[in-house]
Amino acid sequence: MNQLEVSCGGIRLSFSPDTLLAQVEAHGVCWRWADTYRPRIETNEGIFFFSDARSAEHHSWKTGLGQGIRSTYRGFSKADGSRTEFAFETVIWVEETTGSVFFELLPLEEDGLTLKAAYWPGPMEFQSDSQDWYSVLNVLQGLILPNNWENPVSAETNKINFNGQFCSTAAYMPWWGQIQPAGGYMAINATPWDGAYAIDHPAKGPYTLVTPRWLESMGRLSYRRIYEYRFFPKCDYNDLCKSYRQYVKEKGLLITLKEKAARCSRVDKLIGSAIVHKGIKVHCSPSSRYYDASRPDLMDSLVPFRTRTEQMRRLKEAGLEKVYLHLDGWGDPGYDNKHPDYLPACEAAGGWEGMKELSDAMEECGYMFGVHDQYRDYYFDAPTFDENFACRNPDGSIPDHAIWAGGRQSLLCASQAPFYVKRNFEELFRHGIHLEATYLDVFTCNEGDECVHPWHRMTRKECFEYRKSCFDYLLSRDILPSSEEVVDWAMGSLVFAHYGPYDYMLCKPDAPRKGVPTPLFNLVYHDCVILPWMMDKAESGDYMLYALLNGGAAYLDCEAEDLDEEIRRYRTVAELQEKVAKCEMVKHEFLEGGFRKERAVYSDGTVVTIDHDAQSWTIE
């Protein structure tokens, strides 16, 4: 069959009914799917290629908005010879107004097969051994992966967290891009809740393949899955980030700190604060993966509330005007134990009275107080544990592991989390604990959960909505919400996070890097969220340089051996943060042909340059 072609919006789109491969010509560059790719679905009953369909029809598609190609695939035969009428459509179309190309996968008939994943659209052929060809990946804060990068990145080697699942640390923002000297493209996952991607980059290249993958939702496609591809003439990663910033403005996700401060003035109080992260009680269960009988001092420890109170008063005496204390392990079970039944305040550390004394001291000092809490890990030894409210897998089982300190646990269905949050925080209020900010762990770094229990069936999209409603409850009580990291779906409600680091910062020091650390997230969302940065001087460099480059907040160790030096470094970062926290990062660049010197430009004209080799910085 001949190629099907359409020309629309300055884009030429073609599709081969024989190979089922597509290509797009835009701004003088031809982007084509890799010829090694075969569109397919993976099911419990086996792998089915689109070309296995008993019936496949391909037609031109034209609406008042654009033109494209519609394909219908119907009927597949199982390995045992039985037939199923499983059917779906794909639509590839060009929006005439913008030149965006949409790739849509639509279910028609889903009985007969239980979906695991669908691989469509295909990866772009992207082959060159030049450093000027690179992929743009939203792994944590972001990175760029040159085609000649020396380290491999794949599912087998140096792999992406959470198997590339969107709405997790694998992709703070649901898009990626690829750029060559003549132009580039970005692929925006417009329905990211059940989406993922895979990277195939061999050591030193000469290619990088980024392959989209759709996950099942309750064993089905369930709904229309959409990618929007945008094509650019000569460009760089800044252009892609700014295009996405406009996209999230249109979607209502871009809520700035100025807007959040108008709702709650405590945002301004947090900007410039030293972030102090300390704990009260540690207990590691013998059933935990981290239990080490040879180190009993690390398995159980206790710091009285009064000790933390005295430390905060000493910071005040040292002249610190703005401090936010993030308190771990304040509940009686100890850090990461028995959630969501974490109350009361740790009795051995002073109980409610000791915790209130600390809370009152924070108010007197003009400091901000917040606590660590958890509403995903569901511990079997929690007093109210009931497996009927744990996430239920499709086979009827519930998740069961013993990784964290509290030992054996499942996952709390997120439909229950808003109720537990309200229950626990109302009890904190009843005991006079004054909170101005707080932390709900893991919500913004872990992937979404599904649950098939008939009492509270939940899709991944609904899971994110439940998590966000927990943040919104805190905002309704004038408490600034934070979580472990940052992610696109939470940006309307999240005010700050534990961190938004570069990928290598969470890896072992000798781990091979996946690419070049690049502040993609901050190029989009810098003026929407407060990100603290570690201030350690590590073998890989001084992390304070990244705090300055990114105009972020600074962690401060109130138990540092040289507290004066700790405070001096914090003040350097805080002075800049006070100036640029509500400013857009308008541009980032690597200077002098390498990746060791970087510059960030902010919307107020501030320019920050850091030099990793000289361990120096300038602020203009």
Side-chain angles (χ1 to χ4, degrees), residues 458-576:
M458 177 183 73
T459 64
R460 294 184 186 92
K461 181 182 180 184
E462 290 169 335
C463 176
F464 297 133
E465 291 168 350
Y466 286 127
R467 291 178 185 178
K468 183 177 179 296
S469 72
C470 295
F471 299 144
D472 291 335
Y473 162 76
L474 295 171
L475 281 170
S476 75
R477 300 303 302 262
D478 289 331
I479 297 174
L480 304 184
S482 69
S483 191
E484 188 162 354
E485 297 179 45
V486 284
V487 71
D488 204 79
W489 59 262
M491 282 300 97
S493 300
L494 208 64
V495 173
F496 67 120
H498 183 58
Y499 48 23
Y502 297 105
D503 173 74
Y504 84 91
M505 294 177 174
L506 302 186
C507 299
K508 295 179 179 179
D510 59 348
R513 295 195 183 186
K514 300 180 181 69
V516 182
T518 310
L520 305 178
F521 185 84
N522 273 339
L523 279 165
V524 176
Y525 282 116
H526 176 268
D527 55 340
C528 298
V529 67
I530 297 167
L531 287 180
W533 291 82
M534 301 298 180
M535 299 285 281
D536 310 66
K537 290 184 177 180
E539 290 182 16
S540 56
D542 187 348
Y543 286 2
M544 175 180 164
L545 296 182
Y546 283 123
L548 292 169
L549 181 77
N550 287 281
Y555 276 101
L556 183 144
D557 183 1
C558 64
E559 298 175 321
E561 186 174 331
D562 188 345
L563 185 58
D564 289 341
E565 174 64 7
E566 187 83 0
I567 291 173
R568 185 193 66 79
R569 283 165 59 84
Y570 147 71
R571 289 194 190 282
T572 299
V573 172
E575 182 179 357
L576 176 63

Side-chain angles (χ1 to χ4, degrees), residues 33 36 38 52 85 126 132 167 176 186 208 294 361 404 410 440 462 491 500 502 509 514 522 548-549 590 600:
W33 289 350
T36 56
R38 292 183 67 190
D52 293 335
E85 295 307 309
F126 197 67
D132 294 334
C167 305
W176 76 85
M186 68 184 301
T208 302
S294 68
W404 308 120
S410 184
L440 302 185
E462 290 169 335
M491 282 300 97
Y502 297 105
K514 300 180 181 69
N522 273 339
L548 292 169
L549 181 77
F590 295 99

Side-chain angles (χ1 to χ4, degrees), residues 21-272:
L21 301 182
Q23 71 177 37
V24 176
E25 294 180 41
H27 308 292
V29 180
C30 183
W31 300 93
R32 59 173 59 89
W33 289 350
D35 58 13
T36 56
Y37 163 72
R38 292 183 67 190
R40 66 189 187 279
I41 57 173
E42 294 181 356
T43 72
N44 288 349
E45 296 77 19
I47 296 175
F48 298 89
F49 294 97
F50 286 19
S51 57
D52 293 335
R54 294 196 304 275
S55 169
E57 299 178 352
H58 309 281
H59 304 281
S60 296
W61 164 278
K62 186 173 183 179
T63 74
L65 301 174
Q67 300 180 48
I69 298 147
R70 179 172 65 91
S71 302
T72 304
Y73 303 90
R74 188 179 297 277
F76 293 86
S77 298
K78 300 179 185 179
D80 62 4
S82 62
R83 295 187 172 191
T84 172
E85 295 307 309
F86 191 93
F88 55 87
E89 285 190 337
T90 64
V91 180
I92 311 172
W93 66 282
V94 185
E95 184 182 26
E96 187 169 12
T97 301
T98 63
S100 289
V101 180
F102 290 84
F103 294 82
E104 302 185 7
L105 178 61
L106 302 90
L108 296 178
E109 172 58 62
E110 298 206 68
D111 291 338
L113 296 177
T114 303
L115 185 73
K116 294 170 65 177
Y119 291 82
W120 189 89
M124 292 294 188
E125 182 182 84
F126 197 67
Q127 183 157 335
S128 170
D129 60 4
S130 171
Q131 180 173 289
D132 294 334
W133 290 54
Y134 62 88
S135 300
V136 184
L137 305 172
N138 286 294
V139 181
L140 286 91
Q141 180 65 223
L143 57 83
I144 59 175
L145 175 59
N147 257 25
N148 65 353
W149 189 249
E150 61 182 355
N151 300 322
V153 184
S154 70
E156 291 75 32
T157 307
N158 205 18
K159 62 183 180 180
I160 303 296
N161 292 343
F162 296 110
N163 202 19
Q165 197 162 327
F166 289 116
C167 305
S168 75
T169 61
Y172 283 172
M173 300 180 288
W175 62 271
W176 76 85
Q178 293 186 306
I179 293 172
Q180 54 163 294
Y185 77 89
M186 68 184 301
I188 301 172
N189 189 324
T191 52
W193 321 285
D194 301 300
Y197 67 101
I199 304 295
D200 181 10
H201 170 81
K204 298 182 181 179
Y207 65 84
T208 302
L209 296 179
V210 185
T211 302
R213 181 174 79 256
W214 293 113
L215 309 177
E216 52 74 34
S217 179
M218 307 291 188
R220 304 165 74 87
L221 272 175
S222 295
Y223 60 93
R224 182 175 59 152
R225 313 291 186 98
I226 307 171
Y227 267 99
E228 177 184 346
Y229 280 64
R230 296 182 175 185
F231 297 88
F232 303 81
K234 187 175 176 62
C235 62
D236 69 8
Y237 56 87
N238 286 277
D239 298 298
L240 274 56
C241 288
K242 295 311 171 185
S243 180
Y244 187 70
R245 182 177 168 92
Q246 181 59 38
Y247 175 88
V248 291
K249 274 186 178 180
E250 295 172 7
K251 301 296 181 182
L253 292 175
L254 195 106
I255 310 297
T256 66
L257 287 172
K258 287 181 180 179
E259 294 171 282
K260 292 171 183 176
R263 179 177 179 180
C264 182
S265 62
R266 288 174 179 168
V267 172
D268 291 321
K269 187 176 180 180
L270 184 62
I271 292 172

